[in-house]
Every structure is written in structure tokens, then in C-alpha cells.
Amino acid sequence: MAEETGTVETLEFQSEARQLLQLMIHSIYSNKDIFLRELVSNASDALDKLRLETYRDKDLRAETDNLHIEILLDSEARTLTVRDNGIGMSRDDVVNLIGTIAKSGTADFLRKLKESKESAGQDLIGQFGVGFYSSFMVADKVTLVTRRAGADEGVRWESAGEGTYTIESLSDAPQGTSVTLHLKPADDEDHLYDYTSPWKVREIVKRYSDFITWPVQMAKEVKEGEESGLETVNSMKALWARSKDEVSDEEYHEFYKHISHDWTDPLETVRMQAEGTFEYQALLFLPSRAPVDLFMRDAKRGVQLYVKRVFIMDDCEALMPNYLRFVKGVVDAADLSLNVSREILQQDRQIRAIRRRLEKKILSTVKTMMTEDAEKYATFWQEFGRAVKEGLIDDPENREQILEISSFDSTHHADKPTSLRDYVSRMKEGQEHIYYLTGDSRTVIENSPHLEAFRAKGYEVLILTDPVDEMWTESATGFDGKTFQSVAKGEVDLGDETTDEKKAEYEDLLKWMSATLSDTVKEVRLSSRLTTSPSCIVGDAGDLTPTLEKMYRAMGQELPPVKRVLELNPEHALVTGLRKAFAEHPEDASLAETAELLHGMALLAEGGELKDPSRFLNLVADRAAKAL
């Protein structure tokens, strides 16, 4: 029995941790068996970390003989204990890892959990790696005893899950961590089984943790004449090293859940094996739903790295580009040093070569999915498309392949996105460009005056509403020999050239308006893209879009003011009326107000912001009053 060396302190859980505890205690899970999967998984991680630490620190005073996980059952006391002799925890580790959920986004996660339905809620929990809390689904009280490898003193932590926990120092705790659950009474109706039953525990370990690379041991089922002892109840076979024929989909799915802390099955499993110059094996997974922290800066990224079956690190960013950060899995390399660091990995030639091959494999897998399983691809793109499109900026080498697997909303169909390959197949004869328009929403874009002539003539336009669309369209030149062209930039040629006669008719008005609005616009010219609206604002070919300009300014980048072009519809009554009035009374002061109104209306039509909204409203009100 470990001896106390200090006083017992009672501390409160962080508020968000308390909320999670309550969720667990009043279980949102129908399958409570997963508590054991989480505890065994945590124990496995602790053993991985100890082995790695002993490679890196040869002076670490740690016991490394017979590393294993042990499950102890006591039916009389109604306790279940999961014990490992791994890295262990210090007092600060215990408080920080268990008493607190020090992870940005937890509050948002809890909000989503409360808003979601029961099934969606259980899918969200694991994405924050809070599996330890699942113990309270089956236990009235949890006791944890731990000592960090190399430390002289251990710690006991205990809680009934009611908002507080106790913590005390111990003088003789064994290395590693043991978690003892004081189990609730069995209740079959509530799917709360007797977890002191050896057959039930063996069934759970075999189902969820068979692939754990450390032995999971339990008391042997003793037959008459045999001596008691421990036996290993998992196979310990690394899934990525086994033949594909030997592994079931269910085993792959459980392994994915083990490494990802996700509760849902993966969307796709990807296996790779390379021999020759660089030998490695990879087992990768495309999740079926995006984690809630996909776009958070401090989210975990990358896959697990092993060297000859020895765990090296979690979240190896060097093996997976940022735009594929949602990919989970394992890469086991044959020729790396066991003492490799993250900094060395960034420069390692072999790692860079493996990364390139993994990227291409993931992209080709998605392409196959796109052509052979449209429903599965649609799920993938809905969940991860926004992240994948970041690769159009970050990974010019694979830009064509990324464009090939991308989908975009378009004017062709109200609900169904299109691939670029399909867009190109529908292009009009003689059409040289893939037309697109960026904006805040589909509604804003569909109501934009920029689309009028394109819609009237039957040209398809891509509708791009993600913030990343503003960025990649600046760097991607084209697809399949066709160039990208914003319908809100430059002059468009849809076969309707403004006649010389019309240009001459408006020449004086355009010069005057260009001068009158010179503080806000670069030029005023006639438009070939308008059919019903009086005016629109367009940029020159190389100009930043207003949204992109706003994004750069928000990031603190100083930019010179970007003046854009005001285009007029020479067939609109307001524009023809202005031309006539200017020709007859060029000195009329109200004409400048009409020019200002045309500019303001064009800004509002594209979802822009007026420099002086109150002045614009006064001008509109004044004109309306005069019209009555």
C-alpha cells in the first residue's frame, strides 16, 4: 500500500471539465464499453512515451523490463483497475491533464454538444481526447495512483465526479499509472454491464484493443490442476504490418478510433507499402466528419510516426501537408534514427520523399472516390473541401491534381456542385475562360449585377463563397488549358461589343463622371456585362478583390487604397436619363448626386460597404420625395 507523504488537498475541476463530467455521468452513450478502450489506449500511450523517453534520455532512472498493461478485477469490492508501468505523471501533470481541459475550443465544443442530437453528441466527445472522463459512466468513484518515471514521489488522485477531486503525495507509488474504478451496480436496461466479469472484459479488449502493441494482461482462467497467473489477451499485431487479407474492416475501424479518438467509422482506409530506396508502411484514414478544431491554430496535425514498430511521435507534421491535416494514421519507416526530432524531420530527405508519395496517394484515393462512389465523395468534400482548397495556394506542385478532385457550386445547378472537368465539358464553343465570382454567400452572388449578361447568354459561372477561394483564385492560373476569369474583373467579351456610335454618345458623360467620382473610382466606362442593373463595380485584372483587401488589412498589412472601375449600363433608363440631363444642363449640381447614387447602388449590389451610409440614405430619401 502506498504511503502518504503530505496533506490531502481538495480542488475544483475547471468549469468546462465539470460540464463534461456531468455529461459522462448522465451518459450520452448507449455503448458504455468504450470506457475500457479509452483507459487501455491511454495506458498504451504511456508505454510508448516511456520507451521513447528512454531512447532520448539514457540517464533516465526508469524500469523498462516487462512493459505491459494489466487489468485487475475484484468482484467482491466491485472494482476494475487498469495499470501500466509506463511514463507516469507528476502532480502538475495530473492537475493539468485531468483536473483541467486546457484546450482552446472546449467551450465551443460543449455548446455544439448541447445543441446536437444524442448520436451527434457522442461523435463529438472523443475529438477532444477526454476519454478518461468516460470512466464516470460506469463508476461512482475513480482513484488514480501514478508516479512519473525517474521521480521519487507519486500522487494519488480521487474523485466521485461531483465537481471536486482530492490529490495527495505518495512516497512509494510504483512507476506508471493505475486507474481504479469503483463500479456502479450492473443495470442491463441502461447497458451497464458487470465489468468485474472476466469474459465481458476479455470481449471488450479483444474487440477494441487487440492491435495494441503492448501486452494487455489479465488473470488467467485457471483449470483444475493449473497454477494461477497472468495471460495476454490481445494479439499485439500491428495492423499495418499484417496482410490485407488478414485484417477485417472492423479491425481497421477500431484502430482508427484508437489513434484518432473519434467515435465514428472512417470514410476510407488507405494502405501503402514501399520497398527499395525508402522502405516504409503506411495505414491512413480519411475521417467521415471534420473535427471541430479543424480550423483552430493549435489543433493537432499529422500522423503517427513509427520506426521499425517503435513509436516515435504523435502528430508528425512533416509527413502530411497542412491542407491534409485531417488525415489520420500511422507511417512506419525502416531506416530512420530512433532519436529523430521534429526539427530534423523537417530537413530529412527520406521524410520529404515519403510525404510526397503520401500526398499523391491521398489525392488519387479521393479522385477514385469521386468517380466510383459519388455519395462518399460528396461527404468528403462537404467535410474537408475547404481545407483541401488551401493546397491550391500551399502546394503548387500538386495544384492540378487538387483542382481535379475539387467541387464548386455553380449557376448550372441550384444544389449540386460541379467538378471542373464537368464544367469544361459544358463550356460554350469558343469559350476560353472558366468564369467565377467570389462573395459572402450564394444569395449575394446570384443577385450580383456582374452575372446578368452571363446568365442571359447561358454562360456557367462558378459560385465561390469560402474565404480561401479569394486566395487560391489569385494564384491558380487555369485548368485543362482553360484560364480562370473573375466576372467582376477586367473587361468581358461576350460577343456584344459596344458600338463606336454608342461610345461617342457617352464620351462626355463618362469623362465628367470619372472626374466627379475620382476620389473613389479609377474610371467610369460602359459595361457589356449588365442587362437589368444600371451600374456595377469591377476591378482591373490584377486588382485585389474587396474581400481579399479586407482580409489583408485585418491581418495588419498596410495596403494602398484600391480604386476600382464603375461600369454603366447604357440601356438602363437611369443612365440614359443622366446622359440626356447632362447634355442639356451640365452645370446642374444634382447631376453629381445622381452619379454618387449610381456608385453607391453598385457597391451595395455586390455586398460592399458605403463610405457614408447616412449621406447615401439622405440622397435616396430626397430623390424619392421629389418623385412624389
Side-chain angles (χ1 to χ4, degrees):
M1 186 75 179
E3 292 183 4
E4 299 176 25
T5 62
T7 56
V8 178
E9 284 188 82
T10 300
L11 302 173
E12 285 194 358
F13 284 102
Q14 180 201 50
S15 62
E16 289 164 0
R18 282 203 302 274
Q19 292 177 58
L20 271 174
L21 277 169
Q22 289 307 307
L23 283 167
M24 290 297 185
I25 291 166
H26 302 105
S27 175
I28 59 170
Y29 294 94
S30 57
N31 180 9
K32 294 178 171 59
D33 294 356
I34 56 90
F35 84 90
L36 188 57
R37 177 180 76 184
E38 291 304 301
L39 293 182
V40 171
S41 186
N42 289 346
S44 173
D45 290 345
L47 293 166
D48 285 337
K49 287 171 183 172
L50 176 65
R51 182 159 65 171
L52 183 59
E53 198 64 29
T54 55
Y55 281 126
R56 292 180 173 168
D57 182 0
K58 300 300 181 187
D59 299 323
L60 182 68
R61 293 181 293 115
E63 303 158 17
T64 55
D65 294 337
N66 189 28
L67 296 179
H68 68 284
I69 301 163
E70 193 174 339
I71 300 177
L72 306 173
L73 306 175
D74 187 330
S75 57
E76 288 187 19
R78 288 205 52 74
T79 61
L80 177 150
T81 300
V82 177
R83 183 165 69 196
D84 68 74
N85 51 351
I87 192 69
M89 292 183 279
S90 66
R91 185 187 188 282
D92 287 345
D93 291 336
V94 172
V95 172
N96 290 332
L97 294 174
I98 298 176
T100 304
I101 304 177
K103 209 150 176 74
S104 70
T106 312
D108 184 51
F109 153 69
L110 283 165
R111 179 183 59 75
K112 289 186 178 182
L113 189 58
K114 288 172 181 173
E115 291 173 357
S116 66
K117 294 180 180 177
E118 183 171 319
S119 60
Q122 74 178 54
D123 294 337
L124 284 168
I125 283 265
Q127 296 177 1
F128 276 82
V130 291
F132 175 80
Y133 290 83
S134 63
S135 302
F136 288 96
M137 294 191 303
V138 301
D140 290 320
K141 183 172 70 175
V142 178
T143 305
L144 177 145
V145 174
T146 185
R147 177 172 65 83
R148 189 167 182 84
D152 296 321
E153 201 170 71
V155 178
R156 177 192 281 128
W157 176 98
E158 193 166 85
S159 177
E162 294 176 350
T164 62
Y165 59 90
T166 61
I167 192 163
E168 60 190 297
S169 298
L170 302 175
S171 61
D172 60 348
Q175 172 188 298
T177 301
S178 80
V179 180
T180 298
L181 310 188
H182 304 265
L183 296 165
K184 296 176 181 178
D187 183 349
D188 287 349
E189 283 189 14
D190 193 30
H191 305 284
L192 188 60
Y193 302 109
D194 180 6
Y195 294 110
T196 64
S197 165
W199 74 263
K200 178 63 179 175
V201 172
R202 288 167 192 272
E203 176 197 67
I204 297 172
V205 171
K206 195 71 181 167
R207 184 175 175 192
Y208 291 125
S209 309
D210 195 50
F211 48 78
I212 297 288
T213 52
W214 301 101
V216 179
Q217 298 180 340
M218 287 180 62
K220 191 163 64 174
E221 293 185 37
V222 180
K223 295 176 183 176
E224 191 174 341
E226 290 183 344
E227 290 187 13
S228 61
L230 294 174
E231 65 174 339
T232 299
V233 293
N234 62 322
S235 70
M236 296 185 293
K237 290 182 180 177
L239 259 64
W240 61 89
R242 289 161 63 182
S243 163
K244 191 174 182 179
D245 299 335
E246 294 178 18
V247 187
S248 67
D249 286 344
E250 186 179 9
E251 287 177 295
Y252 281 134
H253 294 173
E254 288 308 327
F255 181 71
Y256 162 74
K257 292 170 187 175
H258 165 68
I259 60 173
S260 68
H261 297 288
D262 189 2
W263 301 141
T264 53
D265 290 339
L267 192 67
E268 194 68 59
T269 301
V270 182
R271 284 189 60 132
M272 291 178 71
Q273 182 159 345
E275 297 176 350
T277 313
F278 304 128
E279 290 191 15
Y280 66 90
Q281 294 169 309
L283 178 57
L284 306 176
F285 300 94
L286 301 181
S288 57
R289 60 188 301 159
V292 291
D293 60 353
L294 181 63
F295 294 101
M296 293 179 187
R297 256 185 206 175
D298 59 352
K300 289 186 176 182
R301 319 188 162 200
V303 297
Q304 292 184 352
L305 175 64
Y306 282 70
V307 174
K308 295 177 184 152
R309 315 275 178 89
V310 177
F311 173 79
I312 300 298
M313 68 178 69
D314 263 327
D315 316 315
C316 181
E317 296 175 16
L319 279 169
M320 198 59 64
N322 194 44
Y323 71 93
L324 296 177
R325 57 187 174 273
F326 51 84
V327 175
K328 301 297 181 186
V330 166
V331 174
D332 191 347
D335 304 313
L336 287 176
S337 163
L338 290 173
N339 205 28
V340 70
S341 68
R342 290 186 186 271
E343 292 69 32
I344 292 171
L345 284 175
Q346 296 292 345
Q347 310 301 323
D348 188 273
R349 187 169 63 93
Q350 180 177 349
I351 287 290
R352 288 204 301 269
I354 294 173
R355 169 177 162 146
R356 282 195 297 273
R357 293 174 187 174
L358 296 180
E359 280 181 80
K360 291 189 182 301
K361 181 65 173 178
I362 293 295
L363 295 178
S364 67
T365 298
V366 176
K367 186 176 179 182
T368 301
M369 195 190 298
M370 192 180 198
T371 55
E372 297 181 3
D373 194 332
E375 188 175 336
K376 191 180 282 189
Y377 167 78
T379 299
F380 170 83
W381 192 254
Q382 183 179 346
E383 296 293 323
F384 303 109
R386 187 174 151 203
V388 171
K389 285 189 287 187
E390 293 172 15
L392 296 171
I393 307 160
D394 301 338
D395 189 4
E397 183 183 335
N398 288 307
R399 186 175 290 155
E400 190 75 13
Q401 291 93 318
I402 297 171
L403 286 172
E404 188 77 61
I405 65 165
S406 297
S407 289
F408 308 96
D409 286 341
S410 89
T411 55
H412 177 70
H413 199 287
D415 305 309
K416 189 178 176 183
T418 182
S419 68
L420 291 177
R421 185 69 57 198
D422 288 343
Y423 178 103
V424 169
S425 72
R426 292 190 295 266
M427 285 174 64
K428 285 180 168 290
E429 188 176 345
Q431 182 181 341
E432 297 177 1
H433 305 297
I434 296 172
Y435 294 114
Y436 70 88
L437 184 57
T438 60
D440 291 336
S441 69
R442 181 170 188 129
T443 302
V444 168
I445 290 175
E446 287 188 324
N447 291 322
S448 169
H450 297 109
L451 285 186
E452 290 175 2
F454 291 88
R455 186 182 283 115
K457 291 183 176 293
Y459 284 94
E460 182 176 354
V461 179
L462 299 180
I463 296 172
L464 308 181
T465 56
D466 288 331
V468 69
D469 293 328
E470 299 282 352
M471 308 284 287
W472 74 258
T473 49
E474 297 290 318
S475 53
T477 54
F479 173 80
D480 197 27
K482 306 294 183 181
T483 55
F484 291 111
Q485 171 68 53
S486 169
V487 302
K489 281 188 181 183
E491 297 195 54
V492 298
D493 178 11
L494 299 181
D496 284 342
E497 285 295 318
T498 306
T499 63
D500 291 340
E501 183 182 346
K502 185 73 72 177
K503 288 178 181 176
E505 196 177 331
Y506 276 89
E507 185 177 3
D508 291 342
L509 175 68
L510 297 178
K511 282 181 182 176
W512 171 78
M513 283 188 70
S514 294
T516 302
L517 300 174
S518 60
D519 286 347
T520 50
V521 304
K522 186 186 298 184
E523 177 193 358
V524 181
R525 68 189 181 207
L526 295 184
S527 180
S528 60
R529 73 187 90 214
L530 296 171
T531 59
T532 57
S533 297
S535 59
C536 68
I537 298 281
V538 301
D540 278 340
D543 285 353
L544 293 178
T545 64
T547 304
L548 196 52
E549 185 184 354
K550 197 184 298 180
M551 285 166 61
Y552 279 131
R553 292 191 195 282
M555 290 187 285
Q557 295 194 32
E558 290 299 321
L559 295 172
V562 179
K563 288 185 182 180
R564 298 164 73 212
V565 176
L566 177 64
E567 288 192 349
L568 303 180
N569 179 358
E571 306 301 328
H572 193 279
L574 180 57
V575 177
T576 57
L578 178 60
R579 181 190 60 77
K580 185 178 178 184
F582 178 75
E584 294 174 356
H585 306 288
E587 72 288 342
D588 187 348
S590 67
L591 296 179
E593 293 178 350
T594 304
E596 196 175 333
L597 281 171
L598 280 166
H599 178 251
M601 286 188 291
L603 270 178
L604 290 174
E606 70 165 10
E609 296 176 3
L610 296 169
K611 190 174 182 181
D612 189 347
S614 60
R615 173 174 168 76
F616 181 81
L617 288 173
N618 287 334
L619 286 175
V620 171
D622 183 53
R623 291 305 171 92
K626 286 178 181 177
L628 293 173

